[in-house]
Amino acid sequence: MQYWLMKSEPGEFSIDDLKRVRVEPWDGIRNYQARNFIRDQMSRGDRAFFYHSSCKTPAIVGTMKIAGAAYPDPTAFDPKNAHYDPKSDPDNPTWMLVDVRFVRKFKHPLTLEQLKCERRLAGMRLLKRGNRLSVFPVDKAHWEHIHKMLEK
DNA sequence: GCCAACGTTGGC
DNA sequence: GCCAACGTTGGC
């Protein structure tokens, strides 16, 4: 089992939205590195942090489970969709997605500011300068340390 | 709104 | 294949 972090702008789709709908296709990924993680390395049952980005208080706000294997992202073929990609061939789709299932919403979000203060998270990709990837793996040690922070 | 970082595009 | 220009991300 692997651990992940997935970003979403809460104005677009938040942890509360996921809590309400329970399962959601994580669509709109248009970055090859993120696509490769999704397509090649994610498996059903993997765990992921839900991260709120581009908002007042960027934070890890909860966890979710990868609900199944990757499949083609239908929004890439919809001209009306903001993430429409006319170059993606329906017979050989460029963009893939996974369904995610709600697991929990943290009582108190772990803010980016808090996370930066943790020496044990120093190597985490989220905290690296210039990080823009919206989907990436999280080390088991980091996953566990972040859960320890919740107990405080 | 600013701007650094990074990915993508396209001319050569 | 190089690299400048451009677009996007995302914290601040």
Side-chain angles (χ1 to χ4, degrees):
Chain A
M1 174 165 79
Q2 294 218 77
Y3 301 97
W4 304 94
L5 184 145
M6 299 168 83
K7 299 178 184 174
S8 179
E9 298 185 17
E12 297 290 319
F13 187 76
S14 72
I15 188 76
D16 291 316
D17 294 324
L18 182 61
K19 188 176 181 181
R20 192 175 61 249
V21 301
R22 311 313 285 189
V23 177
E24 175 77 3
W26 199 269
D27 60 24
I29 301 291
R30 297 294 180 267
N31 170 283
Y32 286 99
Q33 220 179 330
R35 189 279 312 268
N36 292 347
F37 283 137
I38 286 171
R39 187 189 60 187
D40 306 332
Q41 294 190 43
M42 276 189 179
S43 310
R44 178 186 167 86
D46 282 0
R47 301 295 172 130
F49 285 128
F50 194 127
Y51 179 82
H52 282 175
S53 68
S54 292
C55 56
K56 195 175 173 197
T57 311
I60 296 175
V61 292
T63 64
M64 51 197 174
K65 235 194 287 198
I66 306 306
Y71 61 95
D73 181 344
T75 66
F77 308 121
D78 176 4
K80 292 191 291 291
N81 191 280
H83 303 287
Y84 174 57
D85 179 6
K87 286 178 294 183
S88 180
D89 174 8
D91 292 328
N92 185 19
T94 308
W95 306 114
M96 308 288 279
L97 60 75
V98 288
D99 288 346
V100 296
R101 180 181 298 279
F102 177 80
V103 173
R104 67 183 285 206
K105 176 186 174 181
F106 297 159
K107 202 166 179 181
H108 303 289
L110 292 172
T111 67
L112 181 60
E113 196 181 5
Q114 281 175 277
L115 297 168
K116 280 178 176 171
C117 294
E118 295 290 317
R119 296 183 85 184
R120 296 192 52 187
L121 298 180
M124 197 181 174
R125 192 163 195 153
L126 180 69
L127 307 180
K128 292 224 171 110
R129 184 182 153 83
N131 161 61
R132 297 190 313 163
L133 256 195
S134 64
V135 174
F136 53 83
V138 172
D139 291 349
K140 187 164 194 265
H142 293 155
W143 177 273
E144 285 168 359
H145 183 70
I146 287 166
H147 280 82
K148 286 219 178 72
M149 289 171 68
L150 290 170
E151 295 162 13
K152 286 177 197 160

